[in-house]
Structures are given as structure tokens and as C-alpha cells.
Amino acid sequence: MAVEIAANIRRGNIIEYTDGQLYSVLKAESFRPGKGTPTTTIEMRRISDGIKIVNTYKTTDKLEKAFVEDIGYTYLYQDGDNHVFMHPETFEQVYVSGTMLGDNAAFLQENMEVNLQMFNGEPVSATLPARITATIAETEPVVKGQTASSSYKPAILDNGVRVMVPPHIDVGTRIIVNTEDNTYLERAKD
């Protein structure tokens, strides 16, 4: 285990909490007021059962960061509630529960390269590519007079994820989406 101050904790880190359980960090935000003590708010999910907790620490508080191995895997398919990944060199297959992946499971695409964080040979967290390409399945029609820079409209991707897109984006358009916060980045160039 490595000791890390709260200000250095980032999304995707694995922490061993005071209850002895492993937690995956979902969000970490530091707040530095002009006067007073700087704090870091960490939202994390318990790996064993998926329960989320939010704690606030002083930025200098020390937390136990679990030693995890970051290994690249290829996503194969969904098997019930589990998702199957394959190591590209050993062809070993690993089953990862849908609850561990959380909302990121919707972004999985066949043959996608995903980094799995392994702790004692077991997957505890997954890091997807920061950007994926998806197709717009449904959206509202373009309204005359709307400008592209001033407003966004809701759209549903082919994987079921809801994003806000510029008015000129229509059904069937391929777009690039940021997987960290489900935001539209740009129109796909393919």
C-alpha cells in the first residue's frame, strides 16, 4: 500500500478505506477557499458491493492507495450481468460484473481496448478510452432560427446514453463522446 495525500487522489484510483474495504474513486474535487482549510471531496464506490460514499478530507490528510496493476484487455462481449475481456497476449478471459463498470458499461464496444486495474489477480476497476465514437439514434428535428453556438438539444446514442448535441446534429450522425462526463466533443470524421 502507498500513502497518498487527499489532494493527489484522482478518478480511477483504488483506495483502501478505514473499514478495510477497497473503494474505486469516481470523482475527486479540491476546494481552496481564500480563508480557511483547503479540502478535497472524494466520491467513491465500494468494490465488493457497489455502494457509493462521499467523504470530505483536508487536502493534507493521508489515504491508503492500494497497489493495483494496470493491464490492457480487449472487450469481447456481454454474458448476462458480466462483461468478458481477453488479455491480448495470453488470451486469458476475465469476467467483470456490470455493477463494477457502472454507467461506463454502456460505452463498451466490441474489440475496444480497456485498461483493467487488477488487485491480487482480480479486476477491481476499469478505465475506458477517454473518447469513443457513437451514432445518434434519436434526437429532435432542427428548428429554424436556432444558432449552433447558443443552444444544445438532447439526443440518444445507439448505446442508450443521453447526450446534449448542437442543433445541426441529426439522426444517423456519428459523433465523438467524452466517456468521463458523457459530453459531445465533435462530429466524427469517418
Side-chain angles (χ1 to χ4, degrees), residues 26-59:
L26 303 174
K27 192 193 292 183
E29 294 177 332
S30 291
F31 177 67
R32 291 176 175 78
K35 203 174 194 181
T37 307
T39 59
T40 299
T41 301
I42 300 175
E43 181 182 328
M44 49 192 162
R45 175 184 286 133
R46 188 166 40 216
I47 291 171
S48 60
D49 56 12
I51 292 178
K52 286 184 185 178
I53 63 169
V54 178
N55 282 334
T56 301
Y57 302 93
K58 292 180 189 170
T59 54

mmCIF file of all heavy atoms in Angstrom, residues 26-59:
data_model
loop_
_atom_site.group_PDB
_atom_site.id
_atom_site.type_symbol
_atom_site.label_atom_id
_atom_site.label_comp_id
_atom_site.label_asym_id
_atom_site.label_seq_id
_atom_site.Cartn_x
_atom_site.Cartn_y
_atom_site.Cartn_z
ATOM 1 N N LEU A 26 -14.581 7.685 -7.962
ATOM 2 C CA LEU A 26 -15.399 8.107 -9.094
ATOM 3 C C LEU A 26 -15.164 9.572 -9.431
ATOM 4 O O LEU A 26 -15.188 9.964 -10.582
ATOM 5 C CB LEU A 26 -16.886 7.896 -8.783
ATOM 6 C CG LEU A 26 -17.289 6.474 -8.406
ATOM 7 C CD1 LEU A 26 -18.742 6.430 -7.972
ATOM 8 C CD2 LEU A 26 -17.046 5.537 -9.576
ATOM 9 N N LYS A 27 -14.942 10.391 -8.391
ATOM 10 C CA LYS A 27 -14.742 11.821 -8.597
ATOM 11 C C LYS A 27 -13.957 12.375 -7.414
ATOM 12 O O LYS A 27 -14.205 11.991 -6.276
ATOM 13 C CB LYS A 27 -16.102 12.516 -8.677
ATOM 14 C CG LYS A 27 -16.031 13.947 -9.163
ATOM 15 C CD LYS A 27 -17.325 14.721 -8.955
ATOM 16 C CE LYS A 27 -18.460 14.255 -9.810
ATOM 17 N NZ LYS A 27 -19.675 15.074 -9.629
ATOM 18 N N ALA A 28 -13.002 13.249 -7.683
ATOM 19 C CA ALA A 28 -12.229 13.911 -6.634
ATOM 20 C C ALA A 28 -12.106 15.390 -6.990
ATOM 21 O O ALA A 28 -11.602 15.724 -8.057
ATOM 22 C CB ALA A 28 -10.855 13.277 -6.491
ATOM 23 N N GLU A 29 -12.591 16.251 -6.103
ATOM 24 C CA GLU A 29 -12.549 17.687 -6.342
ATOM 25 C C GLU A 29 -11.917 18.386 -5.150
ATOM 26 O O GLU A 29 -12.322 18.159 -4.015
ATOM 27 C CB GLU A 29 -13.963 18.246 -6.550
ATOM 28 C CG GLU A 29 -14.641 17.753 -7.798
ATOM 29 C CD GLU A 29 -16.060 18.275 -7.937
ATOM 30 O OE1 GLU A 29 -16.698 18.552 -6.898
ATOM 31 O OE2 GLU A 29 -16.516 18.408 -9.067
ATOM 32 N N SER A 30 -10.955 19.251 -5.427
ATOM 33 C CA SER A 30 -10.317 20.033 -4.368
ATOM 34 C C SER A 30 -10.936 21.422 -4.339
ATOM 35 O O SER A 30 -11.243 22.001 -5.370
ATOM 36 C CB SER A 30 -8.810 20.135 -4.606
ATOM 37 O OG SER A 30 -8.216 18.871 -4.416
ATOM 38 N N PHE A 31 -11.100 21.936 -3.125
ATOM 39 C CA PHE A 31 -11.670 23.271 -2.914
ATOM 40 C C PHE A 31 -10.706 24.050 -2.049
ATOM 41 O O PHE A 31 -10.380 23.632 -0.945
ATOM 42 C CB PHE A 31 -13.041 23.148 -2.233
ATOM 43 C CG PHE A 31 -13.674 24.473 -1.922
ATOM 44 C CD1 PHE A 31 -14.103 25.314 -2.929
ATOM 45 C CD2 PHE A 31 -13.839 24.879 -0.611
ATOM 46 C CE1 PHE A 31 -14.679 26.538 -2.642
ATOM 47 C CE2 PHE A 31 -14.410 26.106 -0.306
ATOM 48 C CZ PHE A 31 -14.838 26.935 -1.326
ATOM 49 N N ARG A 32 -10.227 25.168 -2.579
ATOM 50 C CA ARG A 32 -9.276 26.003 -1.849
ATOM 51 C C ARG A 32 -9.899 27.380 -1.600
ATOM 52 O O ARG A 32 -9.838 28.255 -2.460
ATOM 53 C CB ARG A 32 -7.984 26.142 -2.643
ATOM 54 C CG ARG A 32 -7.224 24.832 -2.706
ATOM 55 C CD ARG A 32 -5.984 24.943 -3.590
ATOM 56 N NE ARG A 32 -5.213 23.726 -3.555
ATOM 57 C CZ ARG A 32 -5.513 22.619 -4.217
ATOM 58 N NH1 ARG A 32 -6.596 22.572 -4.946
ATOM 59 N NH2 ARG A 32 -4.744 21.559 -4.138
ATOM 60 N N PRO A 33 -10.506 27.565 -0.432
ATOM 61 C CA PRO A 33 -11.114 28.861 -0.137
ATOM 62 C C PRO A 33 -10.033 29.915 0.113
ATOM 63 O O PRO A 33 -8.884 29.577 0.414
ATOM 64 C CB PRO A 33 -11.925 28.596 1.137
ATOM 65 C CG PRO A 33 -11.217 27.465 1.792
ATOM 66 C CD PRO A 33 -10.639 26.625 0.673
ATOM 67 N N GLY A 34 -10.408 31.170 -0.004
ATOM 68 C CA GLY A 34 -9.447 32.240 0.267
ATOM 69 C C GLY A 34 -9.000 32.230 1.710
ATOM 70 O O GLY A 34 -7.858 32.534 2.035
ATOM 71 N N LYS A 35 -9.912 31.867 2.579
ATOM 72 C CA LYS A 35 -9.615 31.818 4.010
ATOM 73 C C LYS A 35 -10.110 30.473 4.526
ATOM 74 O O LYS A 35 -11.178 30.019 4.162
ATOM 75 C CB LYS A 35 -10.373 32.961 4.689
ATOM 76 C CG LYS A 35 -9.815 33.408 5.990
ATOM 77 C CD LYS A 35 -10.597 34.637 6.440
ATOM 78 C CE LYS A 35 -9.847 35.322 7.558
ATOM 79 N NZ LYS A 35 -10.576 36.482 8.032
ATOM 80 N N GLY A 36 -9.343 29.826 5.346
ATOM 81 C CA GLY A 36 -9.770 28.534 5.885
ATOM 82 C C GLY A 36 -8.944 27.389 5.331
ATOM 83 O O GLY A 36 -7.974 27.583 4.617
ATOM 84 N N THR A 37 -9.382 26.192 5.659
ATOM 85 C CA THR A 37 -8.643 24.992 5.298
ATOM 86 C C THR A 37 -9.057 24.474 3.922
ATOM 87 O O THR A 37 -10.238 24.294 3.663
ATOM 88 C CB THR A 37 -8.913 23.882 6.344
ATOM 89 O OG1 THR A 37 -8.630 24.405 7.637
ATOM 90 C CG2 THR A 37 -8.064 22.665 6.084
ATOM 91 N N PRO A 38 -8.097 24.213 3.020
ATOM 92 C CA PRO A 38 -8.444 23.601 1.733
ATOM 93 C C PRO A 38 -8.925 22.165 1.953
ATOM 94 O O PRO A 38 -8.399 21.458 2.822
ATOM 95 C CB PRO A 38 -7.134 23.612 0.951
ATOM 96 C CG PRO A 38 -6.119 24.272 1.790
ATOM 97 C CD PRO A 38 -6.689 24.520 3.142
ATOM 98 N N THR A 39 -9.934 21.760 1.188
ATOM 99 C CA THR A 39 -10.492 20.419 1.345
ATOM 100 C C THR A 39 -10.572 19.703 0.004
ATOM 101 O O THR A 39 -10.553 20.332 -1.049
ATOM 102 C CB THR A 39 -11.914 20.480 1.947
ATOM 103 O OG1 THR A 39 -12.744 21.243 1.082
ATOM 104 C CG2 THR A 39 -11.909 21.082 3.345
ATOM 105 N N THR A 40 -10.674 18.379 0.075
ATOM 106 C CA THR A 40 -10.878 17.543 -1.107
ATOM 107 C C THR A 40 -12.091 16.657 -0.844
ATOM 108 O O THR A 40 -12.140 15.963 0.170
ATOM 109 C CB THR A 40 -9.642 16.672 -1.397
ATOM 110 O OG1 THR A 40 -8.528 17.528 -1.646
ATOM 111 C CG2 THR A 40 -9.863 15.780 -2.597
ATOM 112 N N THR A 41 -13.069 16.713 -1.742
ATOM 113 C CA THR A 41 -14.246 15.865 -1.634
ATOM 114 C C THR A 41 -14.060 14.702 -2.598
ATOM 115 O O THR A 41 -13.812 14.904 -3.780
ATOM 116 C CB THR A 41 -15.521 16.653 -1.978
ATOM 117 O OG1 THR A 41 -15.620 17.753 -1.079
ATOM 118 C CG2 THR A 41 -16.752 15.779 -1.856
ATOM 119 N N ILE A 42 -14.166 13.486 -2.060
ATOM 120 C CA ILE A 42 -13.947 12.282 -2.856
ATOM 121 C C ILE A 42 -15.218 11.443 -2.865
ATOM 122 O O ILE A 42 -15.726 11.062 -1.810
ATOM 123 C CB ILE A 42 -12.767 11.459 -2.300
ATOM 124 C CG1 ILE A 42 -11.486 12.299 -2.325
ATOM 125 C CG2 ILE A 42 -12.592 10.169 -3.088
ATOM 126 C CD1 ILE A 42 -10.299 11.622 -1.684
ATOM 127 N N GLU A 43 -15.725 11.179 -4.090
ATOM 128 C CA GLU A 43 -16.866 10.284 -4.264
ATOM 129 C C GLU A 43 -16.293 8.942 -4.696
ATOM 130 O O GLU A 43 -15.526 8.870 -5.643
ATOM 131 C CB GLU A 43 -17.796 10.836 -5.338
ATOM 132 C CG GLU A 43 -19.021 9.986 -5.580
ATOM 133 C CD GLU A 43 -19.908 10.545 -6.689
ATOM 134 O OE1 GLU A 43 -19.953 11.774 -6.855
ATOM 135 O OE2 GLU A 43 -20.531 9.727 -7.388
ATOM 136 N N MET A 44 -16.646 7.878 -3.959
ATOM 137 C CA MET A 44 -16.080 6.566 -4.278
ATOM 138 C C MET A 44 -17.124 5.466 -4.140
ATOM 139 O O MET A 44 -18.121 5.621 -3.456
ATOM 140 C CB MET A 44 -14.846 6.294 -3.431
ATOM 141 C CG MET A 44 -14.959 6.527 -1.965
ATOM 142 S SD MET A 44 -13.326 6.487 -1.209
ATOM 143 C CE MET A 44 -13.672 7.305 0.328
ATOM 144 N N ARG A 45 -16.852 4.342 -4.828
ATOM 145 C CA ARG A 45 -17.747 3.185 -4.813
ATOM 146 C C ARG A 45 -17.001 1.993 -4.219
ATOM 147 O O ARG A 45 -15.893 1.672 -4.632
ATOM 148 C CB ARG A 45 -18.192 2.852 -6.234
ATOM 149 C CG ARG A 45 -19.031 1.581 -6.304
ATOM 150 C CD ARG A 45 -19.389 1.194 -7.714
ATOM 151 N NE ARG A 45 -20.415 2.083 -8.204
ATOM 152 C CZ ARG A 45 -20.380 2.675 -9.394
ATOM 153 N NH1 ARG A 45 -19.395 2.468 -10.213
ATOM 154 N NH2 ARG A 45 -21.355 3.466 -9.768
ATOM 155 N N ARG A 46 -17.656 1.339 -3.233
ATOM 156 C CA ARG A 46 -17.068 0.135 -2.635
ATOM 157 C C ARG A 46 -17.084 -0.972 -3.678
ATOM 158 O O ARG A 46 -18.108 -1.248 -4.292
ATOM 159 C CB ARG A 46 -17.841 -0.272 -1.385
ATOM 160 C CG ARG A 46 -17.157 -1.397 -0.636
ATOM 161 C CD ARG A 46 -17.669 -1.624 0.766
ATOM 162 N NE ARG A 46 -19.097 -1.506 0.883
ATOM 163 C CZ ARG A 46 -19.715 -0.986 1.947
ATOM 164 N NH1 ARG A 46 -19.024 -0.538 2.967
ATOM 165 N NH2 ARG A 46 -21.026 -0.912 1.977
ATOM 166 N N ILE A 47 -15.946 -1.580 -3.909
ATOM 167 C CA ILE A 47 -15.796 -2.568 -4.975
ATOM 168 C C ILE A 47 -16.586 -3.845 -4.680
ATOM 169 O O ILE A 47 -17.171 -4.430 -5.574
ATOM 170 C CB ILE A 47 -14.300 -2.863 -5.218
ATOM 171 C CG1 ILE A 47 -13.658 -1.617 -5.826
ATOM 172 C CG2 ILE A 47 -14.109 -4.073 -6.108
ATOM 173 C CD1 ILE A 47 -12.168 -1.650 -5.932
ATOM 174 N N SER A 48 -16.654 -4.249 -3.423
ATOM 175 C CA SER A 48 -17.300 -5.516 -3.083
ATOM 176 C C SER A 48 -18.799 -5.521 -3.371
ATOM 177 O O SER A 48 -19.342 -6.513 -3.830
ATOM 178 C CB SER A 48 -17.052 -5.864 -1.613
ATOM 179 O OG SER A 48 -17.577 -4.847 -0.778
ATOM 180 N N ASP A 49 -19.505 -4.403 -3.114
ATOM 181 C CA ASP A 49 -20.956 -4.410 -3.301
ATOM 182 C C ASP A 49 -21.518 -3.205 -4.058
ATOM 183 O O ASP A 49 -22.715 -3.099 -4.258
ATOM 184 C CB ASP A 49 -21.670 -4.546 -1.954
ATOM 185 C CG ASP A 49 -21.273 -3.468 -0.965
ATOM 186 O OD1 ASP A 49 -20.617 -2.489 -1.373
ATOM 187 O OD2 ASP A 49 -21.613 -3.608 0.220
ATOM 188 N N GLY A 50 -20.659 -2.273 -4.489
ATOM 189 C CA GLY A 50 -21.102 -1.164 -5.328
ATOM 190 C C GLY A 50 -21.711 0.013 -4.595
ATOM 191 O O GLY A 50 -22.228 0.928 -5.234
ATOM 192 N N ILE A 51 -21.671 0.038 -3.259
ATOM 193 C CA ILE A 51 -22.246 1.154 -2.506
ATOM 194 C C ILE A 51 -21.359 2.384 -2.651
ATOM 195 O O ILE A 51 -20.143 2.305 -2.495
ATOM 196 C CB ILE A 51 -22.423 0.773 -1.018
ATOM 197 C CG1 ILE A 51 -23.500 -0.298 -0.907
ATOM 198 C CG2 ILE A 51 -22.754 1.988 -0.171
ATOM 199 C CD1 ILE A 51 -23.756 -0.796 0.482
ATOM 200 N N LYS A 52 -22.007 3.539 -2.943
ATOM 201 C CA LYS A 52 -21.267 4.787 -3.106
ATOM 202 C C LYS A 52 -21.230 5.556 -1.792
ATOM 203 O O LYS A 52 -22.208 5.567 -1.051
ATOM 204 C CB LYS A 52 -21.944 5.688 -4.147
ATOM 205 C CG LYS A 52 -21.780 5.262 -5.551
ATOM 206 C CD LYS A 52 -22.415 6.289 -6.467
ATOM 207 C CE LYS A 52 -22.389 5.848 -7.902
ATOM 208 N NZ LYS A 52 -23.042 6.814 -8.779
ATOM 209 N N ILE A 53 -20.081 6.204 -1.540
ATOM 210 C CA ILE A 53 -19.969 7.107 -0.399
ATOM 211 C C ILE A 53 -19.238 8.367 -0.859
ATOM 212 O O ILE A 53 -18.504 8.343 -1.835
ATOM 213 C CB ILE A 53 -19.244 6.477 0.811
ATOM 214 C CG1 ILE A 53 -17.794 6.130 0.467
ATOM 215 C CG2 ILE A 53 -19.974 5.266 1.344
ATOM 216 C CD1 ILE A 53 -16.959 5.766 1.679
ATOM 217 N N VAL A 54 -19.475 9.460 -0.146
ATOM 218 C CA VAL A 54 -18.809 10.724 -0.420
ATOM 219 C C VAL A 54 -18.210 11.213 0.894
ATOM 220 O O VAL A 54 -18.921 11.307 1.900
ATOM 221 C CB VAL A 54 -19.789 11.779 -0.981
ATOM 222 C CG1 VAL A 54 -19.081 13.100 -1.206
ATOM 223 C CG2 VAL A 54 -20.433 11.290 -2.260
ATOM 224 N N ASN A 55 -16.905 11.489 0.887
ATOM 225 C CA ASN A 55 -16.231 11.988 2.079
ATOM 226 C C ASN A 55 -15.450 13.242 1.743
ATOM 227 O O ASN A 55 -14.948 13.388 0.625
ATOM 228 C CB ASN A 55 -15.260 10.944 2.651
ATOM 229 C CG ASN A 55 -15.977 9.873 3.439
ATOM 230 O OD1 ASN A 55 -17.049 10.089 3.961
ATOM 231 N ND2 ASN A 55 -15.377 8.697 3.507
ATOM 232 N N THR A 56 -15.309 14.124 2.732
ATOM 233 C CA THR A 56 -14.515 15.330 2.566
ATOM 234 C C THR A 56 -13.321 15.241 3.511
ATOM 235 O O THR A 56 -13.481 14.920 4.690
ATOM 236 C CB THR A 56 -15.356 16.575 2.880
ATOM 237 O OG1 THR A 56 -16.479 16.592 1.991
ATOM 238 C CG2 THR A 56 -14.559 17.842 2.674
ATOM 239 N N TYR A 57 -12.140 15.509 2.968
ATOM 240 C CA TYR A 57 -10.895 15.437 3.727
ATOM 241 C C TYR A 57 -10.170 16.772 3.629
ATOM 242 O O TYR A 57 -10.361 17.519 2.675
ATOM 243 C CB TYR A 57 -9.961 14.359 3.150
ATOM 244 C CG TYR A 57 -10.536 12.980 3.106
ATOM 245 C CD1 TYR A 57 -11.189 12.509 1.966
ATOM 246 C CD2 TYR A 57 -10.423 12.132 4.189
ATOM 247 C CE1 TYR A 57 -11.711 11.239 1.921
ATOM 248 C CE2 TYR A 57 -10.940 10.848 4.155
ATOM 249 C CZ TYR A 57 -11.584 10.413 3.017
ATOM 250 O OH TYR A 57 -12.102 9.148 2.982
ATOM 251 N N LYS A 58 -9.280 17.039 4.590
ATOM 252 C CA LYS A 58 -8.333 18.136 4.410
ATOM 253 C C LYS A 58 -7.399 17.687 3.293
ATOM 254 O O LYS A 58 -7.113 16.500 3.161
ATOM 255 C CB LYS A 58 -7.521 18.374 5.684
ATOM 256 C CG LYS A 58 -8.325 18.901 6.836
ATOM 257 C CD LYS A 58 -7.410 19.084 8.040
ATOM 258 C CE LYS A 58 -8.209 19.401 9.261
ATOM 259 N NZ LYS A 58 -7.403 19.361 10.481
ATOM 260 N N THR A 59 -6.899 18.623 2.501
ATOM 261 C CA THR A 59 -6.058 18.234 1.362
ATOM 262 C C THR A 59 -4.772 17.538 1.801
ATOM 263 O O THR A 59 -4.151 16.831 1.024
ATOM 264 C CB THR A 59 -5.686 19.449 0.494
ATOM 265 O OG1 THR A 59 -5.108 20.432 1.325
ATOM 266 C CG2 THR A 59 -6.896 19.993 -0.225
#
